[in-house]
Amino acid sequence: MVSTIRTLTTNTWVKGSWDDFMALLDSPEIQGSSKNVRTYYDSGWMRIETMPIGSAHGQDNSILASALSLYTTLKSITYVSFTGSNFRKLGERECQPNLAYYIGESIQRPQKNNQAVDIDIYGPPTLAIEISATTLEDDLGPKRLLYERLGVQEYWVVNVEAAEVIAFKMEDGGSRQIKTSSALPGLSINIIEEALQRSTTEDDGTINRWLFQQFG
């Protein structure tokens, strides 16, 4: 088992047991790293991401979070949101999406602590979002399969370079692309994409006022 971030092959999938993965997460190299480290595990394969997060990635993350907060508030949708949190099915899978949402009246709110959210207790997020500045191929491929297996209902991949949202509805062990959200009923993916496009020339307040008009 490769035990340090310096010697582990990062930003790709590496074969390893769950115990290997847990030992790596607890290592001083991961715990004390000043890099932005994101971690994934899926049935014998692990991925440690150490890619830098640039301004385009950060801005799109902020626009998405703001847009979904505004939509759920205006539509009186019950939700709990997470930014960069880990979700774990012990011994099998772990993911760390940029944004994640539990949506609906029947959700069980995960406890606020510094542990990964336990899927066996709280279930998988309703919606998971990956912001793809440098990881598009992986987000559409292996991570998409990971989220399918985890039981996420809806999965979005944001192509930062193209200001594009590739949204999938996940059911029956697979997924299909959609243009209107089912997790957030009535929300058009095209509106989210236009908000991302507007962010290249408009400030966040202007975009929010435009979104308010679209959602209202």
Side-chain angles (χ1 to χ4, degrees), residues 10-12 35-38 47-54 57 133-136 138 143:
T10 59
N11 305 317
T12 191
K35 298 179 180 180
N36 182 73
V37 178
R38 300 174 67 221
R47 177 180 172 93
I48 309 298
E49 291 185 0
T50 60
M51 297 174 179
I53 294 181
H57 183 291
T134 55
T135 60
L136 182 62
D138 185 77
K143 286 185 194 172

Side-chain angles (χ1 to χ4, degrees), residues 13-88:
W13 290 92
V14 177
K15 195 167 183 61
S17 70
W18 180 260
D19 288 342
D20 294 339
F21 181 63
M22 289 292 100
L24 183 63
L25 296 189
D26 289 336
S27 68
E29 289 77 15
I30 292 286
Q31 293 291 328
S33 176
S34 60
K35 298 179 180 180
N36 182 73
V37 178
R38 300 174 67 221
T39 58
Y40 298 83
Y41 188 87
D42 188 15
S43 299
W45 293 88
M46 56 186 175
R47 177 180 172 93
I48 309 298
E49 291 185 0
T50 60
M51 297 174 179
I53 294 181
S55 62
H57 183 291
Q59 288 182 55
D60 280 4
N61 197 95
S62 295
I63 292 294
L64 259 293
S66 179
L68 296 192
S69 176
L70 183 60
Y71 187 81
T72 50
T73 300
L74 289 174
K75 303 298 182 181
S76 298
I77 295 173
T78 301
Y79 78 103
V80 179
S81 60
F82 298 81
T83 301
S85 297
N86 290 67
F87 298 86
R88 176 177 298 167

Side-chain angles (χ1 to χ4, degrees), residues 84-95:
S85 297
N86 290 67
F87 298 86
R88 176 177 298 167
K89 184 170 180 59
L90 189 64
E92 296 181 18
R93 296 182 179 87
E94 181 154 336
C95 62

